[in-house]
Amino acid sequence: MVKRCWLFLTMFSFPLVTSDNQPNYPTSLPDFSLLLPKPGQGLELVSTEVGGKQHWYGRIFLNHTSVYEEKMAKMEVKTSLLDNMIGVGDMVLLEPLNEDSFINNLKKRFDHNEVYTYIGSVVISINPYRSLPIYTPEKVEEYRNRNFYELSPHIFALSDEAYRSLRDQDKDQCILITGESGAGKTEASKLVMSYVAAVCGKGAEVNQVKEQLLQSNPVLEAFGNAKTVRNDNSSRFGKYMDIEFDFKGDPLGGVISNYLLEKSRVVKQPRGERNFHIFYQILSGASEDFLCKLKLERDFSRYNYLGLDSAKVNGVDDAANFRTVRNAMQIVGFMDHETQSVFEVVAAVLKLGNIEFKPESRVNGLDESKIKDKNELKEICELTGIDQSVLERAFSFRTVEAKQEKVSTTLNVAQAYYARDALAKNLYSRLFSWLVTRINESIKAQTKVRKKVMGVLDIYGFEIFEDNSFEQFIINYCNEKLQQIFIELTLKEEQEEYIREGIEWTHIEYFNNAIICDLIENNQTGILAMLDEECLRPGTVTDDTFLEKLNQVCATHQHFESRMSKCSRFLNDTSLPHSCFRIQHYAGKVMYQVEGFVDKNNDLLYRDLSQAMWKASHSLIKALFPEGNPAKINLKRPPTAGSQFKASVATLMKNLQTKNPNYIRCIKPNDKKAAHIFNDALVCHQIRYLGLLENVRVRRAGYAFRQAYEPCLERYKMLCKQTWPHWRGPARDGVEVLFNELEIPEEEFSFGRSKIFIRNPRTLFKLEDLRKQRLEDLATLIEKIYRGWKCRTRFLLMKKSQIVIASWYRRYAQQKKYQKIKSSAIVVQSYIRGWKARKLLRELKHQKRCNEAATIIAAYWHGTQARRELRRLKEEARNKHAIAVIWAYWLGYKVRREYRKFFRANAGRKIYEFTLQRLMQKYFLEMKNKMPSLSPIDKNWPARPYLFLDSTHKELKRIFHLWRCKKYRDQFTDQQKLIYEEKLEASELFKDKKALYPASVGQPFQGAYLEISKNPKYKKLKDAVDEKIIIAEVVNKINRANGKATSRIFLLTKNNVLLADQKSGNIKSEVPLGDVTKVSMSSQNDGFFAVHLKEGSGAAGKGDFLLSSDHLIEMATKLYRTTLSQTKQKLNIEISDEFLVQFRQDKVCVKFIQGSQKNGNIPTCKRKNNRLLEVAVP
């Protein structure tokens, strides 16, 4: 929090004014040179609170607006709730006090993110519906060990006050958190517990206890909270937790009490609301295996107890929350089998909603119910360990015991559905109570030493809906009791403080709601007593008879209204229906629908169902229904829901009265669950039923403001000359002097033993205005004194500096003069040295030029001599060359003259040979440039240029082709050579014979199409075959009876041909290669072939094989080569469109014909008669 205010004189250690109010200039001050204002500037000081201490900063503003420099001056100053207050932080100080000003003050603070406001020691909390940075560890430290009114309102301040009172004053505390659904009660209780956990002691055991206490919240929220139209995480039960501490203030453990779980939500939810969180969390976050164990499916729509319109909630991750719940249960101390049992019970409750009944008439004319689908019942019984017939009978019959007699009656469909829902509600409610008990066992204190206790009560607020039923009646009764104890304890606290301070106590008029509590809880004429009496009355009991009884007994009560009442004042009230009654609560009038009061109060569970649950082998379910034990049958009627709740509330009130109360009143700003929206009408409604204005009036009935003397004197001492700047006597005397000086009327304040009491807030605000004005005057005085001191200090500094500067300047001037003379001498010396150097340079250059001239002349002379000698030598060479030329010509002439006589005889032959040689040379050079590629299939060859080279041209072509084929073969590996040998064999066998052959030329032979060694599917087949597999392919075996095909695996090894089942991998047939005599196939474009076996062989018992394959050419070629390699005999390959096949003892003709197919281009085989199979080939 940053506060802008004027600095007052206590910042310094000396008085700035004398007794006659004249400036008292100090001889020295801290060095605030950076804060010195210049002309036209102003001085302002800013304070910042960090860690509960106030630090001051000085700022200088140009024309009082722009900052050019800032420097921090730290010093501690006591703070107050009144500093920098947005609106009014404590409603007790609100002026004027009415409903509009109350709401406007809350709205103003809410708009500035101030969500907490005080009413004395009561904290009003407004739900911001967003995260605010006010709950950080730094904030925890800021409020730790601070006075309640010392800082701005915060829930941490109340938590710290309660914890310190428990630890230091040995007073048991309780924190009561109230408000309607969505107001933030659950979050407030979490903040209180987290603050206490943060400020209490440390240590391994202490941290474990704190962790268990904190982790109990996620478990209870999952099983006890649900999404409503007002709140996505609404607590549907009341919770009171006692946290136990040792004498040091360290937590030892805790005890949790729960009140009135809304178990009707299990079977039915209003539109737009959900069932309890745990159902959705299990279905969203549990693994598939876990759901399978619980016999659940992930689809929400499968379960009738789950509403589908709000199954998914924005911003809520049910899967992550489920993991959080399981982790929290582990931390709290649930064993794995306990957690499993809890989720099994939840699953059973969820599946109970899927049981449906149908009517069935008996012989005696009575209607009974039967279960439509028993699968759900069977799964429930498997989960719970109940005999299916026992549970089925419990849903169909009801046994009534009276003394020694048992009467069994059938249940109609409506009664069966009632029994089912009652079982689901009771099962879940008892499971929740068991969870609370189990958590208490884990978190309870292990030591028996005396313990201090802090209770945190998170309970439903006052509820006023359009349709209010038994649940709202019970909740509002609890709030009436809480309001009663709140008024009593508040007045008691006020009275005790007045007595403690010696202030005269005056009676305060207030509305006492004890008359309303008596109307509800009176043992004779109370509404709850009459409801119990009506439930226990024999005969026909309905909600209408209950209302009639209320009209008879409560007709004259001033807070009870009914149209059926004998009191005539309500007979014409059309706003009150006949089936309703109205109670005027402290928070306003509430109309209750009487329908369902009797049934909800009875809360009956048929004894047959209790006994069926007790017979379960599931240990948890059996423990939840102890009344089902036949050995412990109790014919006494169980207590009603109303009487149980009344006893619980009485115990709670008794517990609260033994503790010092602290109140948190939670308010919801809007119904949209949105941030930054403040609905005045909604807030006004909550203010009324929370009785906040009544609370302020009670608080202000005596004195509106009280404060200890020391901080009061410290805050206002500058308003009086006698107390400023320091008061030397007791603080009370100083306050008396101060108030007398200010002439405040005596009736406006009173002096207690340790505090000053101010009656009217206007008096306090007047003191604040005077203080503010006085601080401005003091700040002006500080600025004036500071400027004067700074000017004198600067003058003395300048005078001292002038002397120092003069001495330094004289020294500087002499140094400059010496440097100038020194530099002049150096310049003269440099000039002289330069002149001497230049003179010497000129002499050296002249001597050098003379030497160079002699060298040049000598060079020119030698050059002339050399050129003359060169010309002489060239002349001699030319003369010698001329002689050689003439001699050569002469010799040539003599040779030509001798040769001429031989040329004419041999000229023709010589010319022919020369021409032929030139043509051959040209031919070979052209062939070199026109050579074709090295591919053996390239048939290009250059044209023959001359006729006489025809034979040579063909021979060269043949030689070149042989050469490049050899080069191509040299590149082959052994595997490639084998493939080409197989391709060559296939060409010799099928070329121009089988129409399917051309399509197979471009396809490489792979052999192992199934990869039997790698595929685990064929592991059994691989183990059965020891030899190397040459080919493995799926073929179709043709059935001779109908021509249909069956898939088989065809295996060829070095010694055998095998056929195996494709699915199982079992070998069906095994034929040695020596028993294969012939392979037959057609000449057409089909894949059919027959494998003929040797007659009389062991494999020929069933006859030949007629097969079909997509790789016929490859299979036939490999079979041919393998047979030739093993038997040294060529296998006969017969290619014919008609051939005979031996099937057992009969021979069948296989005939191939051309025809159009329904299946496209796939050949089909049909049985025409006993001796003919016809294959249609497209």
Side-chain angles (χ1 to χ4, degrees), residues 8 76 162 370 387 432 484 519 568 581 614 622 630-631 691 714:
F8 50 88
E76 299 180 8
K370 292 292 183 181
D387 187 352
F432 187 78
Q484 184 182 22
L519 170 65
S568 60
F581 67 91
W614 187 85
K622 190 168 186 176
E714 185 69 26

Side-chain angles (χ1 to χ4, degrees), residues 161-177:
E161 183 76 14
Y163 176 71
R164 285 192 294 111
S165 297
L166 176 138
R167 182 192 62 192
D168 301 337
Q169 302 177 19
D170 204 18
K171 292 182 179 179
D172 288 348
Q173 303 289 318
C174 65
I175 298 177
L176 281 68
I177 306 173

Side-chain angles (χ1 to χ4, degrees), residues 844-893:
L844 293 174
K845 284 183 177 180
H846 181 266
Q847 184 179 357
K848 182 179 180 182
R849 282 197 295 271
C850 292
N851 294 336
E852 289 176 351
T855 303
I856 291 171
I857 293 171
Y860 272 96
W861 167 250
H862 293 311
T864 302
Q865 292 295 324
R867 284 190 292 275
R868 287 177 181 175
E869 184 65 20
L870 178 62
R871 281 196 296 272
R872 186 183 66 76
L873 293 175
K874 285 183 178 180
E875 185 67 27
E876 290 179 358
R878 279 195 297 271
N879 293 337
K880 291 180 179 180
H881 180 68
I883 295 171
V885 170
I886 294 171
W887 175 251
Y889 273 96
W890 165 249
L891 291 178
Y893 171 73

Side-chain angles (χ1 to χ4, degrees), residues 323-373:
R323 293 190 291 271
T324 302
V325 170
R326 295 203 68 172
N327 182 58
M329 293 178 74
Q330 185 178 3
I331 293 174
V332 170
F334 283 82
M335 306 300 290
D336 290 342
H337 71 274
E338 291 178 325
T339 304
Q340 180 70 22
S341 298
V342 168
F343 290 133
E344 287 173 352
V345 174
V346 173
V349 171
L350 199 56
K351 297 182 75 64
L352 275 174
N354 291 348
I355 296 179
E356 296 182 350
F357 302 93
K358 60 182 178 179
E360 188 172 298
S361 298
R362 301 182 69 182
V363 179
N364 56 8
L366 297 177
D367 290 337
E368 67 176 6
S369 61
K370 292 292 183 181
I371 297 176
K372 289 183 180 180
D373 184 5

